[in-house]
Amino acid sequence: MSLCRLVYYSERNPAVALDTRTLIATCHKNNAPRSLTGMLHYNGTYFLQVLEGGRADVSAIYHRIATDPRHINLILIGCMDVRERLFPTWSMGLHEGMGDRTKEIFLRYFPKERFDPESINVDSLLDVMQDIATEL
Ligand code: FAD
């Protein structure tokens, strides 16, 4: 089975309660047995997520995530076969918030120091996710 990487962003649904600790515990519980790995960034408004693993497993979990009412307006920005994982040791790393260091990272790759859907491209987003992963 091909190794693939899927990248999307979404908006938090303010009408539905969100507990990120519960959410990430579910990610670990479900992802680890399927050898799914990745990184989730939540800035209080947007989620950015990278999912890596076998193509069928990534596809199945994405379809499940896409129906989750805790977020809305999912935009898929990339799904590609890859030779190597970017986040091989995390069944799902969670990075929350927009501290000064995170703003610096966004400013390095994007016109603004925050996530802006208008200026998103998958390569820069993956660079951001790798850099903010070093903060964890
Ligand atoms: P359960 O073990 O039955 O539920 C786990 C816990 O999640 C429950 O205690 C419950 O409180 C809470 N929960 C479940 N659904 C809701 C809901 N609709 N509203 C509020 N709380 C709820 N799942 C993964 O397995 N892997 C991922 O990488 C992943 N990434 C996600 C990223 C985002 C941004 C979001 C919003 C969700 C993500 N999910 C992920 C969760 C996914 O959408 C499903 O909720 C989850 O996979 C269900 O797994 P389960 O049946 O084992 O849940």
Side-chain angles (χ1 to χ4, degrees):
M1 195 196 314
S2 288
L3 180 66
C4 92
R5 177 180 305 130
L6 184 149
V7 187
Y8 76 88
Y9 65 88
S10 62
E11 284 175 60
R12 187 211 164 154
N13 180 358
V16 175
L18 172 71
D19 174 351
T20 50
R21 277 177 303 181
T22 304
L23 174 60
I24 209 67
T26 303
C27 294
H28 293 152
K29 174 184 68 117
N30 292 335
N31 294 357
R34 295 167 178 81
S35 302
L36 286 166
T37 53
M39 171 84 187
L40 177 66
H41 168 67
Y42 173 55
N43 68 8
T45 304
Y46 289 101
F47 293 100
L48 315 177
Q49 189 170 27
V50 181
L51 283 157
E52 298 174 327
R55 191 187 285 154
D57 289 321
V58 167
S59 186
I61 197 68
Y62 178 69
H63 285 295
R64 196 195 298 185
I65 293 169
T67 63
D68 192 316
R70 289 171 284 188
H71 61 171
I72 51 177
N73 301 332
L74 271 79
I75 303 289
L76 180 64
I77 57 174
C79 187
M80 64 290 277
D81 287 346
V82 292
R83 291 176 46 228
E84 196 179 339
R85 294 173 196 254
L86 293 177
F87 307 102
T89 58
W90 287 334
S91 53
M92 191 50 61
L94 173 66
H95 180 278
E96 285 190 83
M98 285 299 287
D100 288 345
R101 172 76 186 122
T102 310
K103 287 179 183 171
E104 275 173 26
I105 292 169
F106 271 89
L107 201 53
R108 182 166 172 203
Y109 297 104
F110 292 111
K112 302 263 171 62
E113 61 174 22
R114 57 181 167 73
F115 173 73
D116 174 9
E118 295 295 320
S119 62
I120 205 74
N121 71 76
V122 71
D123 291 333
S124 299
L125 187 61
L126 288 172
D127 287 337
V128 163
M129 295 295 262
Q130 283 182 280
D131 281 13
I132 62 179
T134 65
E135 290 188 57
L136 296 179

